């Protein structure tokens, strides 16, 4: 059985893509604010983008907005993703172990996602129920892309920002080859420091597109030496494009151009 | 209109109680692992304990386990709580602002909770959608009661553990009188340090009962000088008691005995 990271790398190689498309049916994007309209948006996006993506990343908050019906839509949306494409549920969960067991069951077994995002704030026992299943994965929040990220993440511990300590801990936790970290693409310097601290981990990197990160700078800072190890996560700028298939194909190409150029230098 | 903390204090005074009963329908506690059995357990607990509690705290993970039906149960369970009892949804959410808006809508408007627990890891802009509504509240994770809490929370920043910095930040964030913090009852020394750092904040304190915290030591360390400011959160030891009403009444009394004794010394 492949570990989660093994499956992710297999998919990245098969479609030659590091693109992760976010599935965030924000009410702004919907013709009407209903579960049905959310479902249609998500299914269209999956159909259009599947040939070009390494992974999909639905954000559960936009489904929770619709209550029980939203959960049914989310389960069906995840089930509509072709079986060889990893689905990372953006859920940012983090609770004590007995509760995290319930989240693991909800996310992996009920909703059918392959991985989730989770917070490191409670430490490793809160992540164990996710990490204990090698074929499922967890991306631990490390350095996020929002404005106030550094209020906590940037505090200095032994002369280094907290997020670097989180990166090193995550590296030590990945004994089942199923732990990655979330590192915003908006701060290439931080991205480079995290890469130095965790040379082999996979990064889930939001911030390209709506949040304005520079793709070339981010890839230069975050790619592993083998040109892998970074999922470029884009939501709004693909979902809102009149041609999401074309937008994904272009972004995949844009990412690969930088990968090839950096490999040849 | 009362702020969330205003409403919480009004309730604490009306029933002379600092007891918060957790509503965590863990599969171990159910006659069968179904949404219906969860619902029955929760409704019984609410009916039995309402006269004695300051607040109820359902943990959303145990409802998410049941998928869409679980969300319907959770909404109905919250609706069954008498209107003057604050409901704090234990959800530990934490995401960038546009996503946190969706969580705020889901938790406050769809599910009908009055407050939620949330993670500080993304900083204040991730909490703003919760804090911006004075009549709704947020308890920010500060020092949790699990074994590995100190892997992050105990790291030293300027000579002090990270959780004390979080406590001070939370104090500065409560401009709408609607921010509290989560501080485990299992570590009285830490509780006392947090109280010194945030003399006026309300603490939500899990750890009494199943997790073994000493009630007297915890209250001695965490109560405000006015004998308020601390919600003692107990789940399993009340839900699993053959007489949850009696267990709640006893625990309320036990808490009040310590409050009165410490006020008279």
């Amino acid at each position: 059985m492949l570990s989660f990271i093994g499956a992710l790398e297999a998919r990245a190689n098969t479609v030659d893509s590091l693109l992760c498309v976010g599935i965030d049916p924000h009410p702004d994007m919907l013709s009407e604010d209903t579960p049905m309209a959310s479902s249609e948006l998500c299914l269209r996006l999956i159909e259009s983008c599947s040939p070009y993506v390494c992974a999909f990343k639905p954000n559960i908050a936009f489904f929770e907005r619709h209550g029980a019906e939203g959960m049914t839509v989310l389960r069906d949306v995840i089930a509509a993703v072709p079986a060889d494409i990893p689905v990372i549920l953006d859920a940012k969960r983090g609770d004590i172990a007995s509760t995290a067991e319930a989240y693991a069951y909800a996310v992996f077994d009920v909703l059918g996602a392959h991985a989730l995002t989770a917070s490191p704030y409670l430490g490793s026992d809160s992540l164990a129920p996710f990490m204990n299943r090698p074929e499922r994965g967890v991306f631990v929040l490390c350095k996020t892309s929002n404005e106030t990220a550094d209020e906590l993440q940037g505090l200095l511990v032994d002369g280094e920002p907290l997020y670097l300590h989180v990166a090193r801990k995550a590296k030590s936790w990945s004994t089942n080859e199923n732990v990655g970290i979330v590192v915003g693409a908006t701060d290439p310097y931080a991205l480079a420091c995290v890469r130095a601290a965790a040379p082999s981990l996979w990064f889930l990197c939001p911030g390209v597109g709506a949040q304005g990160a520079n793709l070339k700078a981010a890839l230069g800072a975050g790619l592993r030496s083998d040109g892998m190890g970074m999922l470029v996560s884009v939501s709004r700028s693909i979902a809102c494009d009149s041609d999401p298939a074309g937008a994904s194909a272009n972004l995949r190409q844009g990412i690969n151009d930088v990968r090839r150029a950096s490999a040849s230098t």
Side-chain angles (χ1 to χ4, degrees), chain A:
Chain A
M1 190 186 57
L2 273 179
S3 69
F4 172 74
I5 294 296
L8 186 73
E9 294 193 343
R11 172 71 191 173
N13 285 325
T14 302
V15 288
D16 194 22
S17 177
L18 298 181
L19 176 63
C20 172
V21 168
I23 303 181
D24 304 356
H26 192 285
D28 289 358
M29 300 179 188
L30 303 176
S31 52
E32 47 177 0
D33 189 9
T34 62
M36 180 65 81
S38 290
S39 173
E40 285 167 6
L41 177 85
C42 298
L43 296 176
R44 265 202 316 273
L45 203 57
I46 290 167
E47 197 184 348
S48 307
C49 303
S50 285
Y52 315 106
V53 306
C54 179
F56 281 113
K57 180 177 74 67
N59 190 314
I60 194 171
F62 296 103
F63 299 88
E64 291 188 16
R65 288 186 73 255
H66 296 292
E69 284 178 89
M71 288 301 99
T72 302
V73 168
L74 177 56
R75 188 198 60 197
D76 294 348
V77 161
I78 292 174
V81 173
D84 55 340
I85 306 181
V87 175
I88 302 160
L89 189 67
D90 204 353
K92 300 188 171 67
R93 299 304 194 242
D95 208 319
I96 62 169
S98 58
T99 306
E101 293 281 0
Y103 279 128
Y105 183 82
V107 169
F108 298 149
D109 301 301
V110 177
L111 292 171
H114 304 101
L116 86 168
T117 58
S119 168
Y121 194 69
L122 272 70
S124 54
D125 67 8
S126 72
L127 301 167
F130 310 126
M131 301 192 294
N132 288 346
R133 292 171 66 168
E135 83 290 3
R136 307 285 172 158
V138 53
F139 285 89
V140 177
L141 298 175
C142 176
K143 170 74 165 104
T144 57
S145 57
N146 60 312
E147 254 181 51
T148 62
D150 278 342
E151 286 180 5
L152 244 76
Q153 297 161 33
L155 292 176
L156 295 181
V157 177
D158 290 337
E160 284 189 330
L162 178 62
Y163 63 81
L164 287 184
H165 295 262
V166 171
R168 287 198 195 91
K169 283 178 199 296
K171 186 174 64 172
S172 75
W173 294 334
S174 194
T175 52
N176 283 329
E177 291 198 9
N178 64 347
V179 179
I181 51 181
V182 178
V183 190
T186 45
D187 183 345
Y189 175 73
L191 201 47
C193 295
V194 177
R195 179 50 77 202
S200 62
L201 282 189
W202 273 82
F203 298 174
L204 176 63
C205 299
V208 170
Q211 293 178 64
N214 178 306
L215 182 65
K216 195 173 166 186
L219 287 164
L223 281 173
R224 281 194 323 219
S225 53
D226 65 354
M228 299 275 276
M230 217 178 136
L231 280 175
V232 176
S233 180
V234 178
S235 302
R236 189 171 282 259
S237 61
I238 286 184
C240 295
D241 197 285
S242 59
D243 173 19
S248 323
N250 285 339
L251 189 48
R252 176 181 70 163
Q253 187 61 50
I255 295 166
N256 286 343
D257 288 346
V258 182
R259 292 167 76 194
R260 305 287 130 77
S262 64
S264 64
T265 53

